[in-house]
Amino acid sequence: MTRYRKKTLSGAVCEIEVYNVPERRSFKLKPAPEKIRTAEERAEYNRKKSEKHFVRLVNTNYTHNDYFVTATYSNDKLPGTYDEADHNLNNYIRRLRRTNPYARIMGVTGYGQRSGRLHHHLIISGISERDIIGKWNDGNIIRAEKLRESHYYNELDCGEDFTALAIYLHSHTPDNVKGRRWRQTKTIQQPIEEKPTEIKRVYSESKPPKAPEGFMYIPQAFQTNEYYGSGYMRFKYIRITEPNLDINRFKKRAENKKSAVLNC
């Protein structure tokens, strides 16, 4: 086994993954699942990979200046199938891009938990609220609000970490839908991934890699992955945006603000 460390930067979030790679796969420099035996396990493994990528895209491309949008259908225009609704979402995104071809848009389609009605959630950057509302022709925009600047976990201000929102949106797509789980514009930027490097040092939840400059470690967000065996660990760090900020004061900001608790 060869041990590697890989750093990924997604907006205000930095993740460091530490994992083992068998010698026979060392040329790929990435972990391989060890414990997938059934079709259900494969589907869950792929879902988690998709979710991780989706979360990183959201954190990479959006800030608190961008919009979270919910689009619903009127009774006379309610689509009969998921595919029809997904087609409508794609057309809506195209209309929005006509106002700004450089806009960054990601959208999902799902069913209401109580009503069972098809609807859409989007995150939009580079489009005015007026155009967001005006370009939707099939019902109502019931929400078009700015993303929150601060997100909290156990009273810790995690800033512009939109992980909880992204997980919620990703889970919106029904499990029986195959293929694409979301729509996005070609302008969406990819997270910055450093090439994995071989390491000898041993890390653990209580002994994480040193925080990159300008970031602080979030111990509550430490993760392992059952599919990669016992060697895989993921450490999470949040950017400290204010210059020369004392970390203890940064943690206490949560005491003076009211917010729903979201996963970091």
Side-chain angles (χ1 to χ4, degrees):
M1 287 283 191
T2 305
R3 198 152 181 77
Y4 288 93
R5 163 179 162 161
K6 180 182 178 182
K7 183 189 298 182
T8 303
L9 181 63
S10 311
V13 177
C14 177
E15 295 170 294
I16 296 178
E17 295 169 285
V18 176
Y19 51 86
N20 297 320
V21 178
E23 295 298 334
R24 66 182 185 277
R25 289 182 51 89
S26 60
F27 66 95
K28 290 192 175 183
L29 301 183
K30 61 182 181 180
E34 300 176 356
K35 299 184 177 181
I36 294 181
R37 300 182 180 89
T38 67
E40 290 76 14
E41 287 178 336
R42 170 64 63 179
E44 179 62 12
Y45 168 74
N46 289 335
R47 187 196 66 79
K48 287 186 175 181
K49 279 186 62 178
S50 172
E51 179 185 87
K52 182 171 76 170
H53 181 56
F54 184 81
V55 168
R56 287 176 172 176
L57 288 179
V58 170
N59 281 324
T60 298
N61 286 275
Y62 299 104
T63 72
H64 67 279
N65 294 314
D66 302 320
Y67 286 95
F68 175 49
V69 177
T70 300
T72 62
Y73 288 94
S74 57
N75 290 332
D76 60 322
K77 294 192 175 182
L78 183 66
T81 65
Y82 178 91
D83 289 341
E84 183 182 346
D86 182 60
H87 179 72
N88 293 340
L89 172 63
N90 190 44
N91 287 340
Y92 176 49
I93 292 174
R94 288 182 176 182
R95 291 194 296 272
L96 289 172
R97 288 200 64 204
R98 292 193 191 109
T99 67
N100 181 3
Y102 301 105
R104 295 193 303 275
I105 306 171
M106 298 179 68
V108 299
T109 301
Y111 294 90
Q113 292 182 352
R114 288 178 293 180
S115 67
R117 293 171 66 94
L118 284 159
H119 62 281
H120 309 286
H121 293 301
L122 303 95
I123 309 180
I124 299 174
S125 175
I127 304 290
S128 68
E129 182 177 356
R130 178 180 178 181
D131 285 332
I132 289 172
I133 296 173
K135 297 294 182 180
W136 177 245
N137 302 328
D138 297 322
N140 297 312
I141 298 293
I142 63 172
R143 178 193 288 116
E145 57 190 31
K146 292 290 184 72
L147 296 173
R148 285 189 289 178
E149 186 173 3
S150 294
H151 297 79
Y152 295 89
Y153 184 82
N154 290 348
E155 298 188 346
L156 177 63
D157 185 353
C158 293
E160 293 186 336
D161 175 13
F162 305 113
T163 298
L165 173 62
I167 290 175
Y168 167 74
L169 295 181
H170 186 269
S171 67
H172 229 60
T173 305
D175 291 334
N176 61 353
V177 173
K178 296 182 180 181
R180 182 190 296 113
R181 294 185 67 97
W182 68 87
R183 293 276 184 177
Q184 69 180 55
T185 55
K186 294 181 179 179
T187 51
I188 290 295
Q189 302 296 308
Q190 298 297 315
I192 300 172
E193 296 185 356
E194 292 188 358
K195 184 178 179 180
T197 56
E198 184 176 344
I199 60 172
K200 300 297 182 182
R201 181 173 296 182
V202 177
Y203 297 109
S204 66
E205 182 176 2
S206 59
K207 294 182 179 180
K210 181 180 178 182
E213 184 176 357
F215 288 79
M216 73 173 182
Y217 175 52
I218 307 297
Q220 299 95 328
F222 172 80
Q223 291 184 6
T224 58
N225 190 312
E226 59 182 300
Y227 297 107
Y228 295 141
S230 59
Y232 179 90
M233 293 176 287
R234 179 152 43 126
F235 305 89
K236 185 171 182 177
Y237 306 81
I238 299 297
R239 187 191 305 277
I240 304 173
T241 55
E242 294 85 343
N244 303 319
L245 181 65
D246 178 78
I247 289 181
N248 290 325
R249 289 197 299 110
F250 185 76
K251 293 179 178 179
K252 291 178 181 179
R253 287 173 57 186
E255 299 175 1
N256 301 321
K257 293 186 178 181
K258 227 174 165 183
S259 176
V261 174
L262 294 179
N263 287 327
C264 293

